[in-house]
Structure formats: C-alpha cells, structure tokens
Amino acid sequence: QVQLVESGGGLVQAGGSLRLSCAASGRTFSNYAMGWFRQAPGKEREFVATISGSGETTYYADSVKGRFTISRDNAKNTVYLQMNSLKPEDTAVYYCAARRAFTTTLQRGYNYWGQGTQVTVSS
C-alpha cells in the first residue's frame, strides 16, 4: 500500500511559478513510476507528466512541455512538479499517482492516488 500526499498548490498570477510536491509512504519508492494529472472545473482529469522509478525517463503532455518539469528524490520518497510560465488554463486540481511498474501516461495504469492540491492561475 502506498499513500500519497500532495502539497504546494496555491494562487499565482499568469507567468508565475509553483512547485508541487508529492510525498509517498513506503520503503520501495524507487520501484514506482509516478505521474501527475490534473482536473479543471467541468473537465475530465488529464495526464500532465510522468517519471520512471529511476528518474531517467519522463513524458509530458504537449500542453505543458517546455514549461513543466517532473523530478523525483528517491531518498526523500518525493516527486516534484515544477511549473513555470503558468497560464490561466493551468488552473486545476493536481493529483499525483503511483504504479509499481514502468511509466505510463494512462490514468487507469495507476493504482494509488493522492487527494489533490488546487492550483489557481489568475490572468
């Protein structure tokens, strides 16, 4: 069982930056691929970024490529999402997720989910 707790959300102006963190329980964090997803009001949850257990492989949604960076610190059981050049359309609840396998962009591939953290970008 893995428990995930996100933090770092908040209100920021367009063009600003935020760093989200997701702390995971357990002693085998490096065995888990991690992903970030988001859900905007009235929309379905969508993929944002994912990283392999070793941190060597990452994938991004086209909408965030070049602005967001996913990283992880396996010694701290934490995955991060650095978000730069934020836009109002980035406003959403951001969720981290974990799966004990190779990385994937598909939501159904993840077994564990955090409770989400709100990110609001004002224009």
Side-chain angles (χ1 to χ4, degrees):
Q1 191 75 9
V2 175
Q3 293 184 327
L4 304 173
V5 179
E6 302 97 334
S7 62
L11 174 64
V12 64
Q13 289 188 332
S17 297
L18 280 176
R19 188 176 82 156
L20 305 183
S21 299
C22 175
S25 64
R27 294 180 291 177
T28 57
F29 182 65
S30 60
N31 291 343
Y32 289 82
M34 301 296 295
W36 285 98
F37 295 81
R38 68 185 181 185
Q39 187 167 22
K43 296 187 177 181
E44 294 185 352
R45 189 161 57 187
E46 64 177 6
F47 166 74
V48 175
T50 184
I51 188 167
S52 61
S54 66
E56 293 180 352
T57 301
T58 58
Y59 295 104
Y60 296 92
D62 288 343
S63 58
V64 306
K65 202 171 295 183
R67 299 188 298 122
F68 290 11
T69 302
I70 189 171
S71 62
R72 65 191 297 158
D73 185 338
N74 286 342
K76 295 183 178 180
N77 282 17
T78 302
V79 63
Y80 305 97
L81 185 68
Q82 178 66 44
M83 305 185 295
N84 299 328
S85 302
L86 282 161
K87 305 175 181 180
E89 51 263 43
D90 294 317
T91 295
V93 177
Y94 283 72
Y95 299 89
C96 73
R99 71 189 302 258
R100 190 181 173 93
F102 53 86
T103 188
T104 179
T105 63
L106 301 176
Q107 294 187 51
R108 63 176 182 268
Y110 290 85
N111 308 105
Y112 306 101
W113 292 83
Q115 82 289 348
T117 186
Q118 176 70 47
V119 171
T120 303
V121 184
S122 63
S123 57

